Amino acid sequence: MDTGFDLRKHGGVDVFLRDCPTRAVLELIAGKWTMLVLVALEDGRPMRFAELRRRLDGVTPKVLTQTLRALEREGLLTRTLYPTVPPRVEYRLTGLGREVGGLIQQITDWSQTNIAAIRAARREFDARTARCSPSGESRIRS
């Protein structure tokens, strides 16, 4: 299948192909909680689990644990366990994590800058589609 890319330039991978290993990475990075963890840790300061949980309003402990493990597995963050009583665990982005975290921060900044325009587009779309029936015919008869 030709997707328009010279795969030799990309190490033989093509994200548009079903079995491309980069799809799993993109799926992880595109997750809401993953993106927020990456932004929360993007400044380079290590954070503990409870601190991350407070920062990420609405995340459950289970989902945060799953997200942190997935990021650690992909080499985007490190988990450091300190042998204290009680044990202390800190999370910090790796070089790869800081790199993608910077990209996600740019997306976050763009989202915050453009939220008014996005909300206006939503209202316009909702108003336009509310005037149409599911078959696409106008509800307003002339």
Side-chain angles (χ1 to χ4, degrees):
M1 176 177 160
D2 181 18
T3 59
F5 291 105
D6 181 353
L7 298 180
R8 292 171 294 190
K9 292 180 181 176
H10 303 286
V13 297
D14 181 347
V15 72
F16 295 103
L17 296 177
R18 162 185 25 234
D19 296 327
C20 181
T22 58
R23 279 198 180 182
V25 176
L26 288 176
E27 185 177 321
L28 171 66
I29 292 169
K32 171 177 70 174
W33 296 116
T34 298
M35 292 181 85
L36 293 173
V37 166
L38 289 169
V39 171
L41 292 171
E42 198 262 335
D43 67 358
R45 186 176 59 84
M47 293 178 83
R48 296 178 70 178
F49 185 90
E51 187 178 6
L52 275 167
R53 185 153 178 246
R54 283 190 303 274
R55 180 81 174 113
L56 306 178
D57 186 33
V59 70
T60 65
K62 178 182 177 182
V63 169
L64 182 55
T65 297
Q66 291 170 340
T67 301
L68 292 169
R69 285 184 181 162
L71 288 168
E72 183 180 13
R73 181 173 186 256
E74 298 299 329
L76 300 177
L77 68 73
T78 58
R79 177 182 183 271
T80 304
L81 173 64
Y82 295 95
T84 59
V85 179
R88 187 181 71 174
V89 178
E90 290 182 343
Y91 299 91
R92 179 188 301 252
L93 293 181
T94 63
L96 279 175
R98 283 190 306 278
E99 187 176 342
V100 74
L103 297 171
I104 302 297
Q105 182 64 60
Q106 289 177 17
I107 293 169
T108 302
D109 294 344
W110 177 89
S111 299
Q112 292 173 339
T113 298
N114 292 287
I115 191 62
I118 291 167
R119 286 179 172 162
R122 285 180 191 164
R123 285 190 301 275
E124 181 182 315
F125 177 86
D126 292 346
R128 188 175 62 245
T129 58
R131 292 188 300 258
C132 295
S133 68
S135 65
E137 297 174 0
S138 177
R139 289 183 186 172
I140 302 171
R141 304 268 180 200
S142 41

